[in-house]
Structure formats: structure tokens, C-alpha cells
Amino acid sequence: MKIGKITSFDFYSKINEDENEDAFRIFENSNFNLFAMSDGAGGAGIYCKEWANYIVNNQPESPILSDEEAKKWFQKISKSFYEFIKPTVNYDNIFIGERFDSEGSYATLLYVWLSKTTKRFYLSGIGDTTLFYFKKTNDNYSIILIEPISKQVSLEDNPELINWQKALEYPLLSKSVDYENGDTIIICTDSLSRRIVYQLLLINQFETEQCLNENINKTYRRDFLEHLKINQRICKMNEFINYLRNLINMSADSFRAELTKWVERNELEKDDYSFIIIDL
């Protein structure tokens, strides 16, 4: 197994990496390799960056396999985050204190557990932080899974989010997948997720649509696909995955420079960017 990872703050509107509201963590225990990623939704609530960091640093040691387990986990992490962050809240600032008490904090969630004893991985998630699973087929790849963004009404929809102050409002996706050596997993936050979905639609529309829901397939932006074709240089899945492997191995400055090209061609939204590649 080979792992690559990279992250960058929104270099158009933020000053440095301290303002990056994405968070991820890679670690292991005796049974699993664990991967966690979360995107703090800074447009709503407060302390969203801290909530995203808390989520990734408190991934359960083993997969969440039922709704009951999900609710118990969420109640526990919500209570512990509140106890952790409340002493730092500046109640002398009425705006901050009232917002913390009334709105809470919002973030997406994606957890992956990769078994050390079987060729199986488990995932749980809510929102548009997304896992892409590619199966190796001879010298190319097929896209098999795109989750949990495929649960949205449309790709451009506001994502489902979790908030420590509220009950778990959405079902937490729980899934297990058997894999083979040579397969690849990609995990990334929202803007990159959507950009990758559209690239996959260009490369293999049929396979990609099989991974999405009916409403997304009806509503995704055909005009954006036509726009992407203007600078299209990648025609096969393996070429795209190799491109992403090269991207993830760049320095932070080179990574931002490459994404700047996408943004200036109106192919990518301005945002924080994070992704992980796992070659199985």
C-alpha cells in the first residue's frame, strides 16, 4: 500500500495554512489503517475549523456498522467537543458567545477503515467530502464507487452537515467494500470532489453515472462539461489517476500553482483543497 496526501488553504482569500478549514488524519491500530477527512463549513456556525479537526482526531478505532452505533458515537463526540471547546469561547464578545450557543459548528465527515487482515475497507460519511474507489482492470481503471456526494440531490447542492449542537439529522452512510491489489482510493474535499466527478464524466460517462443517483445524472451541468472539453488532455482513467498522483507529490507551492491554472480557466472553485490517494 502506498499513501499520498496534500492540503492547501484557499490561497485567493486566505493568508496562510492556519486558516485552512479542511482537516485530515492518517493513522493505524492493530486491526485497521484509518483515514479521516472533514471540511469545516465556515459559512455557517462558529468554530467550524475546530469541529472538523476534532472529528478527524476522534475517529472510532473500528467501523461504524449500524444506525445505533452512529447515534451513540455522535452523541459521545458532540458532548466531548462541547466540553473541550467551551472553555475557549470568548463570552465577553456577545456575538461569539451567542453564535456558539445558538448555532453550534458545522462540518462534513468521511471515515475509512482499511482492514489489515482482509482485502476490505469500510467507510462512513456525510456531506460532499468524497471517496472515489477505482478498480484496476488490465492497464486501466474503472470507477466503482463515489460516496457520499452521490446521496445529494445535485452536485451543486448544499451538502449535508453534522453539528455537535444538533441531533444527527441525516443517515450516516456505512458501507464495506472488497478490493484487490492494484485498486486505488481517492479521498478529497468538496470543490476537488466535484471537479473530479466532472472529469470522470468526461472520461467515461456511463461508468460515472452508474455511481451517481438519478437526479444528479439529470441535473449535472452539461455546459460545464463542454467548458472542460476546451482544455481536455486526459482521455483515460489511468491517465487521470497518474495525473493526480503527480499532483499529490508536488510541493505545496507547486500544488497551489497547478490548481491556480484550474481556477483561472474557471474549472475549479476557490476553496480550501485536500486530498489523499491510497494505492492498495
Side-chain angles (χ1 to χ4, degrees), residues 29 34 44 51 57 78 95 97 143 154 216 222 227 233 243:
N29 59 30
L34 298 94
W51 177 223
N57 283 292
S78 295
F95 173 77
I143 181 63
S154 75
I216 287 179
R222 271 68 179 176
H227 175 72
R233 299 290 184 270
Y243 169 77

Side-chain angles (χ1 to χ4, degrees), residues 7-249:
T7 188
S8 173
F9 63 98
D10 175 358
F11 42 85
Y12 282 89
S13 60
K14 297 180 180 179
I15 297 173
N16 56 42
E17 203 62 51
D18 290 339
E19 297 183 67
N20 191 342
E21 292 182 297
D22 288 354
F24 66 76
R25 184 184 183 212
I26 300 170
F27 63 112
E28 64 180 301
N29 59 30
S30 57
N31 296 315
F32 298 98
N33 290 291
L34 298 94
F35 305 85
M37 187 175 287
S38 179
D39 178 4
I46 196 168
Y47 293 101
C48 297
K49 173 186 173 180
E50 290 80 2
W51 177 223
N53 273 283
Y54 200 83
I55 288 168
V56 302
N57 283 292
N58 287 275
Q59 180 176 359
E61 293 288 319
S62 58
I64 299 169
L65 299 176
S66 69
D67 289 342
E68 184 179 354
E69 283 185 37
K71 289 175 182 177
K72 286 181 179 178
W73 161 79
F74 188 67
Q75 288 171 354
K76 181 179 179 181
I77 195 174
S78 295
K79 183 176 184 292
S80 62
F81 176 74
Y82 175 79
E83 292 170 349
F84 167 76
I85 203 70
K86 186 175 175 61
T88 71
V89 176
N90 179 13
Y91 278 97
D92 291 334
N93 184 320
I94 296 175
F95 173 77
I96 291 175
E98 286 186 354
R99 199 169 179 195
F100 176 76
D101 288 335
S102 64
E103 297 182 27
S105 316
Y106 291 90
T108 62
L109 159 71
L110 188 73
Y111 287 154
V112 179
W113 297 264
L114 188 64
S115 174
K116 290 184 172 181
T117 57
T118 64
K119 291 182 180 179
R120 176 174 293 178
F121 68 87
Y122 303 81
L123 68 144
S124 289
I126 287 178
D128 52 9
T129 296
T130 300
L131 179 144
F132 300 84
Y133 168 54
F134 298 87
K135 181 166 284 295
K136 185 76 176 291
T137 54
N138 299 319
D139 294 328
N140 208 356
Y141 291 88
S142 295
I143 181 63
I144 302 299
L145 190 70
I146 303 174
E147 295 284 8
I149 198 172
S150 62
K151 299 294 185 286
Q152 294 188 177
V153 175
S154 75
L155 290 178
E156 277 64 48
D157 234 17
N158 291 328
E160 297 175 343
L161 299 167
I162 58 173
N163 186 328
W164 58 267
Q165 196 194 56
K166 304 176 185 294
L168 198 57
E169 297 181 288
Y170 309 102
L172 183 69
L173 169 76
S174 294
K175 185 171 292 219
S176 64
V177 179
D178 294 326
Y179 68 86
E180 298 294 334
N181 292 340
D183 295 349
T184 295
I185 294 170
I186 294 175
I187 304 167
C188 50
T189 47
D190 52 345
S191 295
L192 278 174
S193 295
R194 283 189 290 276
R195 178 62 179 84
I196 288 174
V197 170
Y198 278 106
Q199 186 68 42
L200 297 180
L201 284 165
L202 276 182
I203 295 170
N204 193 319
Q205 180 180 351
F206 175 78
E207 277 188 4
T208 306
E209 287 186 348
Q210 294 300 301
C211 299
L212 304 171
N213 68 52
E214 183 178 359
N215 202 67
I216 287 179
N217 289 335
K218 288 179 180 177
T219 60
Y220 67 74
R221 292 180 52 198
R222 271 68 179 176
D223 62 324
F224 186 60
L225 280 183
E226 291 301 314
H227 175 72
L228 289 180
K229 287 180 182 178
I230 296 171
N231 294 295
Q232 173 71 345
R233 299 290 184 270
I234 298 172
C235 301
K236 294 182 179 180
M237 289 288 188
N238 65 329
E239 293 174 351
F240 185 50
I241 291 173
N242 284 334
Y243 169 77
L244 293 177
R245 288 190 184 113
N246 290 333
L247 193 66
I248 215 165
N249 287 318

